[in-house]
Amino acid sequence: MRMEDLTWKEFGEVRKSISTVILPIGSVEAHGRHLPLGTDVFAPVEIAERVEAKLKERGVEILIAPPIWYGHSFVLNVFPGTINVKADTLRRYVRDVAGEFAEEGFGRIILLNGHGGNYHPLIEAAEEVAERYGVEVWLINWWVDFREDILSICSSQGHAGEDETSVILAIKPELVKMEKAAGERRTSKVRVIRKDIGLELFPDGVNDDPRGATGEKGEAILDVVSEKIARLILEAEGHERGTR
């Protein structure tokens, strides 16, 4: 159920019977020469919709909130099209949005994150909301939390790499330019903070070899990730119902 499709009256009824809301969060940033700027939002939104569909089949309803598009992307801000939001701005914004859902009566708020640079601001936002409202906040970083499953499907992971490219090939193949897909894995022994460090670590906005990506791999990733999240919610919902 997409929140933006509801009237305020419908929403008022929905919040009485639904305890879980998923808030997709991503970024608008460079993803190589082959992927769209919206990659980090497209992925969590798609995963959220698949989670909802799997849960609905099992008799459980959840709400999907409109996504937060802009994220913290300091490293990739050297590339055109990357819209970087300062970490503290993102923290406060997500805190306020999630806090509003807590005020509306949702007991479980899932921050479904699609961008690595958002990680630390989202932890802080989640802690503030949980402490203030006494609700449960989950932070799910889909490519990290299910890495073992993803690497059973893909040979590697990375920014605009094989896994991420496969997912977008499954979601929006018309936006992927595989003929321009190229890259390699780069690492640094220590975290170097420098305005242009992205040019070294993410040449052309990539940090992995995306050439092995396929839509079939993307479908497999989306299926396993959404299934595992759905099961976690089912377990939580079952526990709740058992204690009422």
Side-chain angles (χ1 to χ4, degrees):
M1 186 180 307
R2 296 290 290 264
M3 178 181 174
E4 62 266 35
D5 294 336
L6 304 174
T7 66
W8 70 266
K9 191 74 172 176
E10 290 167 336
F11 178 83
E13 291 301 313
V14 160
R15 68 181 183 177
K16 296 176 184 177
S17 59
I18 293 179
S19 59
T20 299
V21 58
I22 296 183
L23 176 60
I25 305 170
S27 68
V28 177
E29 65 172 9
H31 278 80
R33 297 176 182 268
H34 64 293
L35 291 182
L37 296 169
T39 290
D40 286 349
V41 176
F42 295 148
V45 167
E46 179 71 18
I47 292 168
E49 290 179 343
R50 293 185 182 221
V51 169
E52 183 205 11
K54 290 177 184 294
L55 289 173
K56 196 166 187 177
E57 290 175 355
R58 297 162 185 172
V60 174
E61 291 278 2
I62 61 171
L63 182 70
I64 303 175
I68 292 177
W69 276 85
Y70 300 106
H72 181 56
S73 188
F74 174 83
V75 173
L76 288 159
N77 207 24
V78 291
F79 295 100
T82 298
I83 308 300
N84 177 43
V85 173
K86 292 187 182 302
D88 193 55
T89 302
L90 179 64
R91 174 189 65 81
R92 290 184 287 113
Y93 185 60
V94 173
R95 177 201 64 195
D96 289 353
V97 172
E100 283 293 301
F101 282 109
E103 291 274 11
E104 293 283 359
F106 293 92
R108 182 177 306 104
I109 302 160
I110 300 178
L111 309 181
L112 184 50
N113 182 37
H115 171 59
N118 293 343
Y119 182 69
H120 294 293
L122 293 185
I123 287 178
E124 293 186 20
E127 289 175 350
E128 290 184 62
V129 172
E131 184 172 41
R132 179 173 178 180
Y133 296 99
V135 297
E136 188 171 280
V137 184
W138 295 7
L139 173 56
I140 297 177
N141 302 286
W142 68 266
W143 72 102
V144 175
D145 297 335
F146 307 101
R147 174 174 288 153
E148 186 175 335
D149 298 288
I150 292 169
L151 287 175
S152 72
I153 298 166
C154 292
S155 60
S156 64
Q157 275 190 299
H159 181 79
E162 184 179 333
D163 59 333
E164 201 167 33
T165 301
S166 293
V167 166
I168 302 304
L169 278 170
I171 299 172
K172 293 183 178 289
E174 72 279 6
L175 299 182
V176 182
K177 302 172 177 62
M178 281 304 291
E179 71 278 6
K180 296 182 179 179
E184 63 181 11
R185 187 73 175 165
R186 291 197 180 186
T187 59
S188 175
K189 292 181 180 179
V190 297
R191 183 180 287 268
V192 178
I193 311 297
R194 197 176 70 234
K195 189 175 181 180
D196 63 350
I197 192 66
L199 296 175
E200 292 180 17
L201 294 180
F202 298 83
D204 282 335
V206 183
N207 191 308
D208 188 36
D209 185 350
R211 290 174 296 175
T214 67
E216 291 74 20
K217 291 178 182 178
E219 282 291 338
I221 291 170
L222 290 164
D223 185 60
V224 71
V225 170
S226 60
E227 177 63 26
K228 291 210 164 183
I229 295 173
R231 287 182 185 178
L232 290 171
I233 294 172
L234 279 172
E235 289 173 8
E237 291 275 339
H239 175 73
E240 276 187 2
R241 291 171 183 176
T243 57
R244 283 175 185 169

